[in-house]
Amino acid sequence: MSRLDGASRPTIAPPRNPSVPSGPRATAGLRTHHLVALLVIAHAPLMLLWSVMPAAWAHGRVVATPLVFLLAGLILLAYVVGYRGLGRQIRHTGGLYAQVSLGLGRAVALGTAALVFVAYLGIAAGFYGLLARIMETLVASVFDIDLSPTVALLIGLAVILGAVRLPLRVVVWIAIVVAVEQLVGVIWFDLVALNTPAGDSVSFDALDPGWLLSGSFAVGLVFAVTAFVGSEVSTSYSTELANPVRSVPKATVLSYVLTTLILVFSAWAVSVAVGPENAAAAPGNGESLVPALVAQFAGVGGQSLAIDLVLINLVIGLFVTGVVINNAASRQVAGLARDGVLPSVFAVKAPGGEPRVAATYVQPALAGLIAFVASFSETGVLAQWLIVAAGLAIVGSLTLASAATALWFLRSEAEEGGFFGWEGQVIAGLTAVVTTGGLFFYGVFQIREVAPGAPPMAVWLVPLLIAVVFGAGVTYALVLRGSKPDVYAAIGKGLTSRERPAPAPVVPPPVPPQQHWR
């Protein structure tokens, strides 16, 4: 009996997951502020200012773009509120797929795992290409050396491949230093922008809700939501946290809040410096919007030095971001291996430990290959519409995770008290389903509106790719259910082969006694 039929059941504590570290090992894990640093640097603050924010201005053409970023942050906070209670049941490195398994079942969970993994391959490939492109510009400016896109890409991949084996605690402290340094740079830019307003007066038009419909609000909101991709990986570190019940939702909320503040305040500062309507009319992808302002703020004599310093910080931030994204991806691979879905060579060495070497090199090897092929194009990066499609796939996965949260609370016997009781978390989950689901379907089926450079075939190719990848994961789960029921039963639970329940023995039917006739 469940909440669906209105019955009240006593609270039942969930059984302890054998894969969860306990005792001294657990208390030595990462803390909330460590996880916040990893989530923040997953979308480096300076990259948000340099690339993501101008792209939202240029594609959405919404004068009130700062408010669009604010709405995007509120949408994703609804997901976190819904996750809060369900997260107490998760001690799994698989991330979103473990969450989906609790509410929507194992087959949908493996479909989600396949979709997330392939989406992050696309995002990482585009990221590597962008890193190579910025390195080209930096090396040409500082050393007057022309690097080909392929050479720049190989150098970037070599650095990331060497850094992915750093212990997680070392990566955490590097992330903290780089995140703080970049936040200081972003704050400096914003304050200078507000101090040099266009027309000698600070404009608040970009914060006026009446300007939300001045352009394509839906397109702007899709870009804004995909800007937050990366903060949903917090559950991947659940087995390495001292207190995952507290740290995962709290760190996710803090990272979303911080990212929202950066995007809202920086977008408003840019609108003040150039004029709100001028910012919304930025040419192309808005790539020249922030560089032009940096050059203007530095003055005639310091323009070259200022741009070089920004590019150096961008490259450093992108390297750390690459390592953090790969850490999350390797933990998902290790989680699938621990469940028996993938070979054990990818699993963690011990409960609560870090993934094996093979798991850490899966994503950079595959994404690097994709980026290498793309490096022969004119831009040296993956087509933007493919990167946008990958971000939309993550948004669709958040929709499934939110639906899983709502269904889990409706069926669960555990009680949730406080301001966000189980009713509030169901409402938050359903709200996130409607908002993220609506953005996912709009972006996928209107990909040429979201990414104007997309070819005509993108209209059917993007939904087809997403459906094929998701369907492949579901099909694999159904195959496992028939061929390896013990592995299928362990999906999302993080059990080793020794911890999985043995399949029930086959008992032959009783043989009737023979009748002896005289």
Side-chain angles (χ1 to χ4, degrees):
M1 192 174 294
S2 69
R3 289 196 181 98
L4 289 175
D5 51 33
S8 176
R9 296 288 297 273
T11 301
I12 299 177
R16 190 183 75 83
N17 191 328
S19 68
V20 183
S22 59
R25 185 179 185 87
T27 59
L30 300 179
R31 308 292 177 174
T32 301
H33 62 280
H34 297 145
L35 184 56
V36 171
L38 292 173
L39 299 182
V40 168
I41 206 65
H43 27 66
L46 197 56
M47 181 52 62
L48 293 176
L49 174 68
W50 190 266
S51 179
V52 175
M53 183 266 296
W57 276 108
H59 290 277
R61 306 290 180 183
V62 179
V63 173
T65 291
L67 295 184
V68 176
F69 285 121
L70 178 61
L71 290 174
L74 293 175
I75 288 172
L76 292 171
L77 282 176
Y79 157 73
V80 179
V81 170
Y83 166 80
R84 174 179 162 270
L86 182 58
R88 298 181 180 182
Q89 315 301 318
I90 299 176
R91 302 293 185 278
H92 197 290
T93 62
L96 290 177
Y97 115 85
Q99 184 178 347
V100 172
S101 69
L102 292 179
L104 296 179
R106 299 173 179 86
V108 178
L110 273 196
T112 303
L115 190 60
V116 169
F117 180 74
V118 173
Y120 269 111
L121 282 183
I123 292 173
F127 164 83
Y128 294 155
L130 179 62
L131 173 60
R133 186 177 176 185
I134 294 176
M135 286 179 58
E136 284 182 71
T137 305
L138 178 62
V139 170
S141 176
V142 176
F143 301 105
D144 196 23
I145 298 175
D146 292 330
L147 288 180
S148 68
T150 303
V151 172
L153 174 65
L154 292 177
I155 293 174
L157 279 175
V159 174
I160 290 176
L161 287 172
V164 294
R165 291 307 300 166
L166 290 174
L168 184 58
R169 278 195 168 272
V170 175
V171 174
V172 165
W173 284 107
I174 294 175
I176 291 174
V177 172
V178 174
V180 170
E181 186 267 339
Q182 293 209 354
L183 283 172
V184 171
V186 170
I187 293 171
W188 170 83
F189 174 89
D190 291 344
L191 293 178
V192 174
L194 293 175
N195 195 45
T196 55
D200 297 326
S201 62
V202 176
S203 173
F204 292 91
D205 286 350
L207 302 178
D208 183 357
W211 286 100
L212 281 173
L213 301 180
S214 57
S216 178
F217 172 74
V219 171
L221 192 58
V222 168
F223 262 93
V225 170
T226 55
F228 290 83
V229 167
S231 290
E232 72 284 343
V233 302
S234 55
T235 53
S236 298
Y237 298 96
S238 58
T239 61
E240 297 166 88
L241 290 163
N243 186 1
V245 172
R246 176 178 179 271
S247 294
V248 170
K250 186 175 181 180
T252 306
V253 168
L254 289 175
S255 68
Y256 278 146
V257 169
L258 186 57
T259 302
T260 302
L261 290 176
I262 292 172
L263 290 169
V264 171
F265 196 78
S266 297
W268 175 56
V270 167
S271 75
V272 170
V274 302
E277 296 184 58
N278 292 332
N285 293 328
E287 293 180 350
S288 62
L289 186 59
V290 173
L293 286 174
V294 170
Q296 174 187 329
F297 298 158
V300 177
Q303 291 179 357
S304 178
L305 177 61
I307 295 296
D308 287 343
L309 288 175
V310 171
L311 292 178
I312 290 172
N313 278 282
L314 279 173
V315 169
I316 293 173
L318 288 173
F319 275 126
V320 180
T321 298
V323 174
V324 169
I325 290 176
N326 183 71
N327 277 343
S330 65
R331 279 157 177 77
Q332 183 193 20
V333 171
L336 289 166
R338 189 166 176 79
D339 287 348
V341 177
L342 295 178
S344 59
V345 69
F346 297 115
V348 293
K349 297 179 181 178
E354 297 191 17
R356 297 178 186 270
V357 175
T360 60
Y361 289 141
V362 170
Q363 189 199 59
L366 295 177
L369 179 61
I370 297 171
F372 180 78
V373 174
S375 69
F376 295 102
S377 66
E378 293 182 2
T379 61
V381 297
L382 201 64
Q384 187 188 48
W385 63 275
L386 288 174
I387 299 175
V388 171
L392 287 169
I394 300 296
V395 174
S397 300
L398 291 178
T399 303
L400 292 174
S402 299
T405 297
L407 289 174
W408 185 85
F409 274 108
L410 287 172
R411 296 197 305 252
S412 175
E413 297 176 352
E415 298 291 340
E416 289 290 329
F419 181 75
F420 290 112
W422 72 266
E423 301 95 334
Q425 291 178 80
V426 168
I427 293 172
L430 293 177
T431 300
V433 168
V434 173
T435 52
T436 59
L439 290 173
F440 167 74
F441 284 109
Y442 175 84
V444 167
F445 291 104
Q446 298 293 328
I447 189 69
R448 297 192 71 191
E449 295 291 329
V450 177
M457 68 175 181
V459 175
W460 58 265
L461 182 59
V462 169
L464 178 63
L465 286 174
I466 291 176
V468 167
V469 172
F470 181 79
V474 172
T475 302
Y476 184 40
L478 297 178
V479 170
L480 288 175
R481 185 172 65 178
S483 60
K484 298 181 179 180
D486 58 324
V487 172
Y488 180 79
I491 290 176
K493 298 184 181 301
L495 304 179
T496 64
S497 58
R498 294 182 179 180
E499 297 160 347
R500 292 178 206 131
V506 178
V507 179
V511 179
Q514 295 181 356
Q515 300 292 333
H516 299 280
W517 297 91
R518 294 185 178 179

